[in-house]
Amino acid sequence: MKIGYFLSSEEYTPAELIEQARMAQEAGFDGLWISDHFHPWNDEQGQSAFVWSTIGAISQVSELPITTAVTCPTVRIHPAVIAQAAATSAVLMNGRFTLGVGTGEALNEHVLGSVWPTIDVRLEMLEEAVEIMRRLWTEDGFVSHHGKHYTVDTARIYTRPQQPLPIYMSGFGPEATDVAARIADGYITTTPDRELLQRFRDNGGGTKPTQAGFKVSYAPTEAEGVEQAHRIWGNSGLPGELSQVLPSPRHFEQASQLVTKEATAKSVACGPKADDHVDAFTPYVEAGFDEVYVANMGPHTVDMMNLYRTEILPELRLRKEHPHE
């Protein structure tokens, strides 16, 4: 299992994300996730830079592979433009770039005034978008497409890597997981759901790579860790499809009032204890994911990186080598 670091575009400035990417490489992480948002989930997070600019800058300070977790190439930005952005990122990263895609959230995608589609329509749009992007990365000459949701007129991407980019797709429910198994090169999720992971593999995913990510809240004390996790990322405790349909940060702030601090403490590894951080990986390891990415919440990133460099990563790799000891 590879262990990566998850860069939260919603919480940190571009300069902080670039520095975190550099530190993650020094700490010994195997790769990077980076979120792609127009809005943060709430105003307390307070950031949301254009991810493609940040990736370009990261390419100059880190050699770790990067996956977007995840980009929605369907509503806010046309898939032909995402295809160009992703191709440029892959060139800058010397091929160490994976385009992670998903059906998106109204939070980010409603900003141009489009009606937010139902999940079945969003999956249909995503499948067509993936087809367009792959054609633009692989076909010689100009590409035209006249589909149900998108039109492309004699477009050609001139700056692109020698090999087509891999596309991984997120799946948080059975329908999306089935589409991911059928059209994607890999699978992305944020829950250690063993049944969905197996469904992906059984329905066409086979041995394709699988990635998962989660958040911890490092702090000098457990109490401070719980406080900052609840204050900054209380939205992570919202159930069901709310994260896909609520349209603005203020709506997430309102809904997050229903998430108690006690619930946050139970669901997030908070504080400085190495054992708590190691244990947070266990559900993902037991589920059988190939790669797991961890994000930090709050201002103590340097100390978190030091803990992972000296204790967490060595322990996780030791357990991988000797799983029954």
Side-chain angles (χ1 to χ4, degrees):
M1 183 186 74
K2 294 182 179 179
I3 305 164
Y5 187 77
F6 186 179
L7 300 165
S8 298
S9 299
E10 309 94 308
E11 185 181 349
Y12 301 102
T13 67
E16 289 171 329
L17 294 171
I18 295 161
E19 177 62 12
Q20 288 179 17
R22 187 192 64 77
M23 289 192 296
Q25 179 168 306
E26 290 187 353
F29 285 96
D30 297 313
L32 298 169
W33 263 14
I34 187 166
S35 54
D36 180 358
H37 272 240
F38 190 90
H39 291 139
W41 298 99
N42 56 55
D43 284 354
E44 188 66 36
Q45 292 168 5
Q47 296 292 327
S48 211
F50 191 57
V51 72
W52 303 105
S53 301
T54 307
I55 290 170
I58 288 172
S59 73
Q60 304 304 296
V61 302
S62 171
E63 294 185 355
L64 294 178
I66 298 179
T67 302
T68 54
V70 292
T71 292
C72 178
T74 59
V75 178
R76 173 169 45 105
I77 305 179
H78 192 283
V81 179
I82 294 294
Q84 184 188 29
T88 300
S89 297
V91 169
L92 285 168
M93 295 297 301
N94 293 319
R96 300 185 307 275
F97 178 77
T98 297
L99 179 62
V101 300
T103 58
E105 304 93 10
L107 173 71
N108 302 302
E109 305 306 319
H110 80 280
V111 295
L112 301 182
S114 301
V115 174
W116 184 234
T118 57
I119 181 60
D120 56 329
V121 174
R122 300 202 310 269
L123 285 168
E124 190 178 77
M125 294 173 72
L126 182 59
E127 186 164 357
E128 186 177 339
V130 167
E131 177 190 349
I132 290 168
M133 292 188 293
R134 284 188 171 135
R135 288 188 62 193
L136 286 166
W137 295 333
T138 58
E139 293 185 16
D140 296 327
F142 290 87
V143 172
S144 292
H145 172 92
H146 301 280
K148 182 175 180 179
H149 300 286
Y150 303 107
T151 298
V152 177
D153 183 14
T154 54
R156 180 181 178 185
I157 294 176
Y158 281 81
T159 301
R160 64 188 196 187
Q162 292 183 345
Q163 300 297 323
L165 283 69
I167 295 179
Y168 292 8
M169 179 179 160
S170 67
F172 300 118
E175 188 177 5
T177 299
D178 289 347
V179 175
R182 180 164 49 83
I183 73 168
D185 302 306
Y187 178 61
I188 289 176
T189 188
T190 56
T191 60
D193 192 318
R194 190 178 305 196
E195 290 184 5
L196 281 180
L197 179 59
Q198 193 60 46
R199 185 182 183 111
F200 171 79
R201 289 173 171 157
D202 291 343
N203 290 353
T207 60
K208 294 176 182 177
T210 59
Q211 299 180 340
F214 68 98
K215 293 180 174 62
V216 298
S217 183
Y218 181 93
T221 67
E222 182 179 357
E224 183 180 343
V226 171
E227 186 281 328
Q228 68 190 16
H230 188 257
R231 173 173 49 84
I232 303 171
W233 285 93
N235 60 282
S236 295
L238 295 176
E241 298 179 25
L242 281 176
S243 62
Q244 278 76 55
V245 300
L246 294 180
S248 77
R250 73 175 181 273
H251 293 116
F252 280 92
E253 290 165 0
Q254 293 163 5
S256 296
Q257 293 176 16
L258 300 174
V259 180
T260 66
K261 192 173 288 188
E262 290 74 20
T264 298
K266 289 181 180 179
S267 62
V268 178
C270 298
K273 295 180 180 178
D275 287 348
D276 292 342
H277 288 260
V278 170
D279 289 346
F281 283 84
T282 300
Y284 299 90
V285 174
E286 292 180 346
F289 285 95
D290 299 310
E291 303 174 28
V292 181
Y293 294 78
V294 58
N296 190 47
M297 299 180 266
H300 303 291
T301 306
V302 173
D303 290 338
M304 181 267 194
M305 290 282 188
N306 287 334
L307 178 69
Y308 273 65
R309 176 177 55 82
T310 59
E311 297 188 51
I312 310 301
L313 296 179
E315 176 64 21
L316 289 170
R317 285 167 181 146
L318 182 64
R319 292 188 182 190
K320 177 185 175 182
E321 293 175 3
H322 307 283
H324 302 297
E325 292 184 4

